[in-house]
Amino acid sequence: MNRVRRCIHVFSAAAIAAVLSAPPAEAAVTLGQEQAVAMGLGRHPAVRAAGHGIEAARARTSQTHTAWLPRVKVEGSYMAIGPVQDMVIDTGIAPPPPFGGAPIIIEKEIGSLHNAAVGVSAAWRAFEAGATAVRTEAAEALERAAEADAEQQRVQIAYAVRAAYLAARFFQELDTTTGASLALARAELREEEARRAAGLGSDLDLARVRMRAAELEARAGQASQERARAQTTLRLLLGLEPGAELRLSDDLKTLAGAPLGPAPRTDAHPLRRTVAALEQAAERDRSLKWRAYWPTLDVVGAVKYQYPKNYFETDQAGPTYSAGAVLTWIAFDGDLLRRQIAESDAKLAELYAKEQAADEEIRRQLADAEAQIRTSETAASAAERTLEAAQIYERAARAALGAGAGTALELRKATDGVDQARLAWLKACFDGALARAAYLRAGGRARIEEEKGW
């Protein structure tokens, strides 16, 4: 007996130690749909990538501002230049007697074998026909295009989060509804099997109940698998661990009736703003090409310390300086400029056509989403009335069967009618909520509370 008690104490201590040493269970994450959208937008890599793209565009814009400043270079060089040239000058002057003889010849090396210099040079473009200002405007337009493209990326991610949230919520409610129906079907199956064993039931009634239970089991399994897949997608979009427990607080009926806010403006859509900004950049690029035809004027200057100092003082080093202006004009470029302008014209025509196509696509998506919302609202209202009628019919059939005035087949049909009506109502609510998400995407809005462009 004492040995048994000692074993119990040992096992109890081991169990307590195991519980204390086990890692704490991860808390469940409870989220509404818009909370999930905010969480997804706050951590998604594509949003961060778009943000870095905006930073790069702003950096390119700031680079154009440096064209107004001079360019200063510090240079140092050494070169061995040979052979060293000799300068020979025959003066044709002969010395008088008694120094008479050959004429005087002057010989001197021009330059040096060793040549070295160090100095500073500066250049500033004084005239370039306004090319710098146009280049800056083009960069600013591309910056606006990057910002609009980032907003469009946010819209797509928000829609993906909403779609995954709605799918997870739909299959969760479908799983719950099917589970409740399956529990009733199994209870009915046990009752029917007991009746058949007692000789009071029939094989036909038993087969019907078994078929219904099997159908509900298959539906429950499919709903459970689809729910797990939707939740996996939602966890990935939200950056959660694979095993994190999700609790979705918004139900389908609430989401299907959520307000949409004022109608969006086509010109405020991120896609439309992207194309418009690209048009402005292309127009500035075309203007920049025209300005390349004009000459440029650069003011330059340099100060150096070099050896040899000059061609005549070849044995010593010294300072030198230079200053002046350089006018550059490409008088003939092989017809390159005209062909570049033709390319810019074609690019502008392409962007004009894309702008019209974007407007039409936005209007089409908005109209399609609005039609889906109206259709789903009508379907949900009809399904709700059908569900109420089916529930009344089921109660009547159950009461009639209990009183002996009805049949099991009538109750089975009534129960199937309730299930079908409930599923139709859930599907209509899901379609309505998804249509609202599509409406927000078509309008170019990531968050419901955002007022930008609305």
Side-chain angles (χ1 to χ4, degrees), residues 52-331:
H52 294 315
I54 295 175
E55 293 176 359
R58 291 173 179 170
R60 286 192 295 269
T61 302
S62 66
Q63 292 171 19
T64 63
H65 298 160
T66 64
W68 299 105
L69 302 176
R71 297 295 185 262
V72 179
K73 294 191 298 182
V74 177
E75 298 176 298
S77 64
Y78 167 81
M79 298 186 68
I81 303 176
V84 179
Q85 301 297 315
D86 291 329
M87 181 180 66
V88 179
I89 301 176
D90 187 355
T91 63
I93 301 174
F99 307 104
I104 298 173
I105 297 177
I106 301 175
E107 295 184 4
K108 184 175 181 60
E109 290 183 347
I110 302 298
S112 172
L113 177 64
H114 303 285
N115 295 265
V118 60
V120 178
S121 61
W124 178 63
R125 181 147 293 183
F127 176 77
E128 27 83 281
T132 297
V134 174
R135 192 177 292 111
T136 300
E137 292 173 359
E140 290 173 348
L142 292 177
E143 183 180 334
R144 292 191 295 273
E147 292 173 351
D149 188 65
E151 181 61 26
Q152 180 67 11
Q153 186 68 50
R154 284 169 48 86
V155 169
Q156 297 296 336
I157 293 171
Y159 175 78
V161 173
R162 288 191 178 98
Y165 188 99
L166 291 172
R169 186 60 175 168
F170 171 73
F171 287 112
Q172 176 184 343
E173 297 193 11
L174 180 61
D175 192 9
T176 302
T177 302
T178 306
S181 300
L182 180 58
L184 292 176
R186 286 172 176 171
E188 186 179 0
L189 177 60
R190 289 192 297 269
E191 181 181 351
E192 193 63 35
E193 288 174 345
R195 287 170 54 85
R196 184 68 185 86
L200 301 176
S202 65
D203 292 337
L204 181 59
D205 292 337
L206 181 60
R208 286 178 182 146
V209 176
R210 283 177 176 171
M211 287 176 59
R212 173 172 171 74
E215 178 186 351
L216 289 174
E217 286 178 355
R219 188 193 302 170
Q222 181 181 5
S224 178
Q225 293 297 325
E226 292 295 337
R227 175 187 177 185
R229 184 174 67 173
Q231 286 189 342
T232 299
T233 302
L234 186 57
R235 289 190 191 96
L236 290 173
L237 290 170
L238 301 182
L240 299 176
E241 295 296 328
E245 181 183 355
L246 277 175
R247 294 179 182 173
L248 310 182
S249 58
D250 291 342
D251 59 87
L252 289 177
K253 184 177 181 180
T254 301
L255 295 174
L260 293 173
R265 300 197 317 268
T266 303
D267 58 346
H269 195 283
L271 179 60
R272 177 66 174 77
R273 298 205 315 268
T274 300
V275 178
L278 291 177
E279 282 182 12
Q280 294 173 2
E283 290 171 354
R284 299 302 183 272
D285 183 69
R286 186 180 186 278
S287 176
L288 188 63
K289 288 182 171 59
W290 272 115
R291 294 170 191 273
Y293 175 77
W294 297 95
T296 59
L297 178 64
D298 296 305
V299 178
V300 297
V303 177
K304 293 183 179 180
Y305 188 83
Q306 65 182 23
Y307 174 87
K309 182 178 180 181
N310 49 49
Y311 284 115
F312 301 99
E313 299 175 278
T314 57
D315 57 348
Q316 59 181 336
T320 63
Y321 62 89
S322 62
V326 178
L327 181 69
T328 304
W329 180 50
I330 302 177

